[in-house]
Amino acid sequence: MLSVLIIIPILGAALVGFFPGKITDEKLRKITLAIALSLIVWTVEIALKFNLNNPGLQFQEHFTWIPQLGLTYNLGIDGLSLPLLALNSLLTFIVVYGYGNNVDRPRLYYSLILLVNAGIAGAFLSANLLLFILFYELELIPIYLLIAIWGSKKRGYAATKFLIYTAVSGILILAGFLGITWLSNSPSFDYDLISTQGLSLKTQLILLTILLVGFGIKIPLVPLHTWLPDAYVESSPPVTILLGGILAKLGTYGLLRFGLGLFPETWQIVAPGMAIIGTFSVLYGALAAIAQQDIKRMVAYSSIGHMGYIVVAAAANTPLSLVGAISQMVAHGLILAILFHLVGVVESKVGTRELSVLNGLMSPVRGLPFTSALLIMGGMASAGIPGMVGFAAEFLVFQGSFSVFPIPTLLCIIASGLTAVYFVILLNRTCFGKLDNDTAYYPKVIWSERTPALVLAVVIFFLGIQPTWLVRWSEATSNFLVPNSSIEIQKSKVKSQKLASLINTADVNFLEYRN
């Protein structure tokens, strides 16, 4: 079942790219949409057959590939990868549907989008370390080309910078994987056959640090973040959605799967440093966002901060914080996707992203009222307003991390308040105020531009009102990742149920809950 999620987009890319004869752009778009929709349907099929009580890998596929290298085609899915696979399929469909009209070189464009989907899906499904690296690098060239060909003025610089940083990330991760397998005398690179328990503490710390830096570049964490603002700002809106919405999650996924998963005891040693770095990233991202005048760059810096929450939760390493970390990955991907989509709509209609120029877009006659309303909703979701998925995820992160790292968690809560500050600045300057009578005659927003934002808004609201639909997939796996915590697992299960009940009823009373 799992190979289908990799084979379909690869075959689809070949079909779209090498379709015989002449074919219209609209037909190419419809073919790609059908392929993207089939991925969503198949992901739902896997979810329906997924055993929520099984914390390990399910639907495993194992074939010997190159035994001399220890490389096997080993796939599996659990509560850590399933939500991210669903996010990957959804955002691929959103990107193709919302940005398919009048795209240059459509054959290449759609083929690259599908290859990115295949690479990301393969990485999330890989249960072999070398196989993970192959898929991890597979998406590198397609994303580079998507930035370099369809980006804005400085696209060449941004694409090259992204390529260099991601290549360094891949080299470090590969070096860490080779060191882990060789030094532990593992017979294979298969994830379930590798054990680091026999390695000295110093060796484990070195190997874990290499992985943390490699995945930290991908997230990215401060000070490894400098590729992100250029890549996000210079990319076209659909590529930015892929970059921020799902591609960056390979970094946080890698931290949990290969950092925490392979070094459960050594993780506790580096956890305080990770919590500090994650908190610094949260504060830096929020303060940097406040200083921006370009709304797309503002959203890009906000992404750095929200990814920092995941790192703090991962460092805390409690069952509840890990559920929060996985939930935050999905919530961040959804919220960032709707924000970048709406920023792209504003730029295409108004012709600018500068806060000093934008104003009055909420005007019901000559402005962009529908887009502005959704932009306000996206800002509220990013700020963690109750009733939306951002609140549910951040609440789990803070509640699960506070007992281990109280000061970093409190600083993150303060930073969540700063999120509201920069989004109030953005919304106040763009949506409200008086329109310029001489220039404010903007084109209408068509339904193909509205629909992606509407779909994302519905998902954001639904998962905010019913967070158990998000939490339930990852609870068993999160409990399994925490070593020696059978008692804590049962406590966390009860706590998760209480938290979901509190969020569902929109009656979050922290004092009553703690009592």
Side-chain angles (χ1 to χ4, degrees):
M1 293 185 68
L2 303 183
S3 293
V4 174
L5 293 175
I6 302 172
I7 295 173
I8 286 181
I10 292 178
L11 294 180
L15 174 64
V16 171
F18 302 101
F19 195 88
K22 292 184 179 180
I23 185 173
T24 63
D25 295 354
E26 182 61 23
K27 187 170 290 187
L28 281 173
R29 177 172 176 266
K30 289 180 179 179
I31 293 174
T32 311
L33 275 175
I35 296 170
L37 182 60
S38 69
L39 294 173
I40 294 178
V41 172
W42 196 255
T43 304
V44 172
E45 176 69 15
I46 292 175
L48 292 174
K49 297 180 179 180
F50 186 80
N51 184 358
L52 297 176
N53 297 318
N54 183 0
L57 295 175
Q58 303 180 39
F59 308 114
Q60 278 195 275
E61 302 174 15
H62 189 283
F63 302 100
T64 301
W65 191 355
I66 308 178
Q68 295 83 355
L69 297 178
L71 175 60
T72 61
Y73 182 79
N74 190 359
L75 304 181
I77 190 171
D78 61 5
L80 174 57
S81 51
L82 178 58
L84 297 175
L85 282 168
L87 180 65
N88 182 38
S89 300
L90 175 62
L91 294 188
T92 300
F93 182 83
I94 292 293
V95 164
V96 176
Y97 180 86
Y99 299 92
N101 297 324
N102 302 319
V103 64
D104 295 331
R105 306 170 69 176
R107 284 179 179 265
L108 179 61
Y109 175 80
Y110 293 132
S111 297
L112 294 176
I113 292 292
L114 292 174
L115 287 177
V116 171
N117 177 279
I120 294 173
F124 286 144
L125 292 171
S126 295
N128 180 278
L129 273 59
L130 285 186
L131 189 66
F132 173 85
I133 283 292
L134 289 177
F135 285 114
Y136 187 85
E137 297 295 337
L138 176 62
E139 43 78 22
L140 175 59
I141 298 302
I143 285 288
Y144 168 80
L145 294 175
L146 286 168
I147 299 174
I149 297 175
W150 289 276
S152 52
K153 292 182 180 179
K154 297 181 180 180
R155 58 184 181 271
Y157 169 78
T160 303
K161 196 172 185 178
F162 166 80
L163 182 68
I164 293 173
Y165 270 80
T166 306
V168 171
S169 171
I171 291 172
L172 289 173
I173 296 170
L174 176 60
F177 285 171
L178 292 175
I180 291 170
T181 307
W182 292 344
L183 295 176
S184 63
N185 296 317
S186 174
S188 170
F189 283 90
D190 284 349
Y191 179 79
D192 52 358
L193 296 180
I194 294 176
S195 174
T196 61
Q197 298 301 314
L199 301 178
S200 66
L201 179 61
K202 181 179 179 180
T203 302
Q204 291 189 45
L205 283 173
I206 293 174
L207 293 173
L208 179 56
T209 301
I210 293 173
L211 293 183
L212 293 179
V213 175
F215 288 118
I217 294 173
K218 195 73 169 183
I219 293 175
L221 292 174
V222 178
L224 307 172
H225 69 287
T226 56
W227 65 267
L228 182 145
D230 294 314
Y232 282 23
V233 171
E234 300 302 326
S235 299
S236 60
V239 178
T240 309
I241 290 174
L242 292 177
L243 277 171
I246 189 62
L247 196 66
K249 308 307 180 290
L250 285 174
T252 48
Y253 170 85
L255 285 183
L256 295 178
R257 174 70 74 201
F258 304 107
L260 175 58
L262 294 178
F263 299 93
E265 297 179 359
T266 313
W267 186 266
Q268 307 306 317
I269 299 175
V270 302
M274 288 181 57
I276 293 173
I277 294 174
T279 304
F280 184 77
S281 296
V282 170
L283 293 170
Y284 174 85
L287 294 174
I290 292 175
Q292 302 307 312
Q293 292 298 310
D294 183 324
I295 59 175
K296 192 174 185 181
R297 189 174 288 272
M298 179 182 287
V299 176
Y301 274 105
S302 75
S303 174
I304 297 176
H306 285 84
M307 292 296 283
Y309 293 142
I310 303 172
V311 177
V312 174
N317 190 22
T318 65
L320 188 59
S321 72
L322 294 184
V323 171
I326 300 171
S327 301
Q328 177 65 7
M329 291 187 215
V330 178
H332 176 265
L334 295 170
I335 296 170
L336 203 66
I338 193 172
L339 289 174
F340 277 130
H341 174 78
L342 295 171
V343 168
V345 171
V346 170
E347 183 182 11
S348 66
K349 303 302 179 182
V350 182
T352 183
R353 301 193 305 257
E354 293 298 321
L355 286 175
S356 59
V357 178
L358 292 167
N359 54 59
L361 297 183
M362 186 62 82
S363 172
V365 179
R366 294 181 294 112
L368 304 173
F370 188 82
T371 299
S372 298
L374 288 174
L375 188 60
I376 293 173
M377 189 281 295
M380 294 171 64
S382 184
I385 300 299
M388 302 183 190
V389 68
F391 169 77
E394 290 179 15
F395 184 76
L396 291 170
V397 168
F398 298 152
Q399 186 70 20
S401 304
F402 183 79
S403 61
V404 182
F405 297 117
I407 294 178
T409 303
L410 289 174
L411 291 175
C412 288
I413 294 174
I414 294 173
S416 68
L418 295 176
T419 302
V421 171
Y422 59 75
F423 273 110
V424 167
I425 294 174
L426 185 154
L427 299 173
N428 182 54
R429 295 185 184 180
T430 58
C431 299
F432 302 101
K434 186 178 180 180
L435 279 171
D436 188 337
N437 292 328
D438 296 328
T439 60
Y441 293 95
Y442 305 135
K444 296 297 181 182
V445 180
I446 60 177
W447 272 106
S448 64
E449 295 170 322
R450 293 181 177 184
T451 303
L454 281 174
V455 172
L456 291 169
V458 169
V459 176
I460 288 171
F461 272 113
F462 177 77
L463 294 180
I465 297 171
Q466 292 289 343
T468 52
W469 279 76
L470 178 59
V471 172
R472 62 202 295 255
W473 307 103
S474 55
E475 187 177 6
T477 300
S478 299
N479 294 335
F480 181 74
L481 285 172
V482 179
N484 303 322
S485 59
S486 57
I487 297 177
E488 290 300 318
I489 285 174
Q490 298 302 322
K491 292 180 179 179
S492 174
K493 205 164 189 178
V494 174
K495 188 180 291 186
S496 296
Q497 294 171 353
K498 289 182 178 180
L499 286 171
S501 175
L502 289 171
I503 297 170
N504 284 335
T505 58
D507 183 22
V508 183
N509 188 323
F510 292 88
L511 181 59
E512 179 182 351
Y513 174 70
R514 289 182 182 174
N515 291 337

